[in-house]
């Protein structure tokens, strides 16, 4: 297989437990944030997003939390399943830079049966 | 979301040659982007592909090395020129798309996995 995620921090989670993936972003002017999931051999897949005027947003089994004070973003996955094993990236839209996204380093999630 | 395809899905190339990667979207989109993902790393934006004008390149990327075409609102190409082993990466195109008529966000193609020998 390809080497996506080989050198990234890894979070090992027991199946059924909740996962929390953290991301520190760089630009206080960023106003839009996205979480992507990348499975081996595929492109990044949109999971959930949040605008800077919110501090929490929920989706199906996922919740994104935004703390603008400390420039921190987290993704919570409830009842983690084997299909959640992937590399997760946060991305920020840097406000005045327009549509461009800057990606975080990524976290590899391994779900243990 | 829009359906995005890329060709080729993977290739093995000899150093010094060039490869053109195609990105096709099933709907008209204004913004298209090209990213590079080096082995084990995150995504780095190469350029924004502008329809009808020259692409806008990010720091560290130049048109001579990565020429980009955007002939219409559904198609773009990225060429990796005069390749070296350091160009071995996954190359991804993305498009900006508004789901539900609200926030526009970026959706990615499946990527082109390039190995340069």
């Amino acid at each position: 297989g390809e080497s996506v995620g080989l050198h990234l921090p890894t979070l090992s989670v027991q199946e059924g437990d909740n996962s929390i993936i953290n991301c520190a972003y760089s630009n206080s002017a960023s106003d839009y944030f996205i979480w992507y999931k990348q499975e081996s051999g595929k492109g990044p897949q949109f999971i959930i997003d949040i605008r800077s005027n919110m501090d929490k947003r929920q989706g199906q089994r996922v919740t994104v939390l935004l703390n603008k004070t400390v420039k921190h973003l987290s993704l919570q996955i409830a009842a983690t399943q084997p299909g959640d094993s992937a590399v997760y990236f946060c991305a920020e839209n840097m406000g005045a830079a327009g549509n461009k996204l800057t990606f975080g380093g990524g976290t590899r999630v391994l779900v243990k049966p | 979301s829009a359906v995005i395809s890329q060709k080729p899905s993977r290739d093995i190339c000899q150093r010094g040659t060039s490869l053109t990667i195609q990105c096709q979207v099933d709907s008209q989109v204004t913004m298209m982007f090209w990213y590079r993902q080096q082995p084990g790393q995150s995504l780095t934006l190469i350029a924004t592909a502008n329809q009808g004008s020259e692409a806008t390149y990010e720091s560290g990327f130049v048109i001579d090395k990565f020429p980009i075409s955007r002939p219409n609102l559904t198609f773009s190409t990225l060429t990796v020129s005069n390749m070296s082993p350091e160009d071995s990466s996954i190359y991804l195109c993305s498009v900006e798309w508004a789901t539900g008529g609200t926030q526009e966000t970026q959706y990615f193609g499946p990527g082109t996995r390039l190995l340069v020998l």
Side-chain angles (χ1 to χ4, degrees):
Chain A
E2 65 192 16
S3 57
V4 172
L6 274 186
H7 308 296
L8 301 175
T10 299
L11 174 67
S12 291
V13 183
Q14 198 69 39
E15 182 178 356
D17 287 352
N18 298 333
S19 303
I20 300 177
I21 307 164
N22 296 303
C23 177
Y25 64 92
S26 58
N27 191 339
S28 56
S30 294
D31 60 2
Y32 178 57
F33 305 87
I34 310 168
W35 279 101
Y36 290 94
K37 171 187 179 183
Q38 187 175 27
E39 297 174 277
S40 182
K42 298 183 179 179
Q45 174 190 357
F46 172 90
I47 301 174
I48 192 168
D49 59 0
I50 189 168
R51 293 204 64 88
S52 59
N53 61 352
M54 304 173 69
D55 53 20
K56 180 179 180 179
R57 188 159 187 235
Q58 288 185 293
Q60 187 176 17
R61 279 200 311 117
V62 294
T63 300
V64 55
L65 299 177
L66 175 62
N67 185 330
K68 294 180 287 294
T69 303
V70 294
K71 294 190 286 187
H72 183 268
L73 194 66
S74 69
L75 177 70
Q76 300 177 2
I77 305 173
T80 311
Q81 302 169 359
D84 295 326
S85 292
V87 177
Y88 291 79
F89 294 99
C90 65
E92 60 183 304
N93 180 308
M94 301 182 73
N99 313 78
K100 294 187 291 188
L101 293 180
T102 297
F103 279 78
T107 298
R108 184 176 182 219
V109 172
L110 282 176
V111 181
K112 298 177 288 186
Chain B
S1 61
V3 176
I4 307 163
S5 60
Q6 286 186 234
K7 288 182 182 179
S9 59
R10 60 179 64 242
D11 208 342
I12 300 174
C13 300
Q14 296 297 319
R15 67 176 68 202
T17 63
S18 298
L19 176 71
T20 295
I21 302 167
Q22 299 179 3
C23 180
Q24 179 76 54
V25 193
D26 68 344
S27 303
Q28 292 187 338
V29 294
T30 303
M31 305 298 293
M32 292 182 77
F33 305 88
W34 285 99
Y35 289 81
R36 180 175 72 183
Q37 186 175 26
Q38 294 178 300
Q41 297 190 28
S42 186
L43 284 74
T44 301
L45 180 64
I46 298 172
T48 302
N50 302 309
Q51 195 268 329
S53 64
E54 196 170 280
T56 305
Y57 289 84
E58 296 302 302
S59 175
F61 297 97
V62 295
I63 187 170
D64 289 346
K65 177 66 176 178
F66 297 103
I68 288 171
S69 79
R70 179 87 193 272
N72 56 51
L73 294 176
T74 63
F75 186 78
S76 179
T77 67
L78 168 76
T79 298
V80 186
S81 303
N82 188 24
M83 288 183 285
S84 67
E86 292 72 34
D87 294 319
S88 297
S89 290
I90 303 169
Y91 292 87
L92 295 145
C93 73
S94 73
V95 304
E96 205 165 69
W97 185 260
T99 53
T102 55
Q103 174 70 47
E104 287 195 324
T105 194
Q106 285 188 33
Y107 295 89
F108 284 83
T112 295
R113 284 140 187 87
L114 172 62
L115 176 63
V116 184
L117 302 178

